[in-house]
Amino acid sequence: MSEPVFLSMPEHVAIIMDGNGRWAKQRGLPRAMGHRKGVEAVRETVRAAGDAGIKYLTLFAFSSENWRRPEAEVSDLMGLLKAFIRRDLAELHAQNVRIRIIGDRHSLRSDILNLLLEAEETTRDNTALTLVIAFNYGSRDEIARAMVSLAEDVEAGRLRAREITPELVNARLDTAGIPDPDLIIRTSGEERLSNFLLWQAAYSEFVFVPEYWPDFGRELFYAALEKFAARDRRFGGLSPQAAAVGT
Ligand code: IPE
Ligand code: IPE
Ligand code: MG
């Protein structure tokens, strides 16, 4: 399949990969099978994003609230992440993909943390797609950690409270250095953020896809890019056409 050409391309696409459990239930399978199938959708989507020339792709893989699930499911999800990094790191590296992890690292098991650090380290100088994996990620937790870091600087006299700007807050978030997502896609028909990139989503476009995540792939991804290309982003100003006519 040749790559479609879009009028305007997002630099950064973020995806809330939802619906693995319902995909499995629909087929009378255990939820774990849905998560396993979801990994295949991840592979296809990463390739499609790279082929389309997307610079940043963020995938919401495990939220800070997902610990509320039964222990067996949490452990399945941890296992799948481990298996994904082990199996796919070499190929991602060969594809010139740079991996970044966002989320709270401190409460992760050391075997998982070490794998994530290894993935970041191995791919740090790659220049094609940046794949951002949101793992043990919650936006409120991220913002609170950024606040703590700023408050520590104020306490130590390195920073004055009134000098805090949106740019300074930005620089303390896990996403420091990564542009805000232009497009956020959520699968499974749910239309909410579930504590994902609350700060960064200030001007994101949203595309909600009814299909469950395991059914997502190149075709649905490009359909979402097409929807994005048709959107008129104004960032509080006027669209170029309206500005030109002065209406
Ligand atoms: C998304 O699928 C994967 C994670 C949240 C880790 P779900 O597991 O949330 O699937 P549903 O929403 O229950 O169908
Ligand atoms: C959001 O999905 C988290 C991930 C995709 C990792 P959830 O399935 O956890 O969200 P809620 O609970 O339906 O809001
Ligand atoms: Mg869900």
Side-chain angles (χ1 to χ4, degrees), residues 22 49 69 74 103 130 134 170 185 194 227 231 235:
R22 279 164 284 168
R69 297 188 180 198
V74 169
T130 297
N170 232 342
I185 301 171
S194 302
K227 280 194 176 161
R231 301 271 174 93
F235 300 97

Side-chain angles (χ1 to χ4, degrees), residues 16 18 186-194 206-210:
I16 303 171
D18 199 13
R186 183 169 187 149
T187 56
S188 90
E190 308 294 354
E191 302 189 354
R192 57 175 170 268
L193 274 174
S194 302
F206 290 88
V207 171
F208 297 107
V209 177

Side-chain angles (χ1 to χ4, degrees), residues 116-131:
L116 295 178
L117 293 175
E118 183 197 330
E120 280 189 321
E121 190 53 34
T122 309
T123 62
R124 58 181 296 166
D125 296 323
N126 289 346
T127 53
L129 174 74
T130 297
L131 173 63

Side-chain angles (χ1 to χ4, degrees), residues 41-60:
V42 166
R43 287 195 184 101
E44 187 173 332
T45 304
V46 171
R47 261 183 246 120
D51 292 346
I54 302 282
K55 294 305 293 177
Y56 297 87
L57 176 70
T58 297
L59 298 178
F60 200 5

Side-chain angles (χ1 to χ4, degrees), residues 146-147 150-151 154 159-169 199:
M147 300 291 176
L150 287 169
V154 172
L159 179 71
R160 278 193 283 195
R162 77 173 77 91
E163 290 170 346
I164 295 173
T165 57
E167 290 71 29
L168 269 192
V169 175
W199 169 282

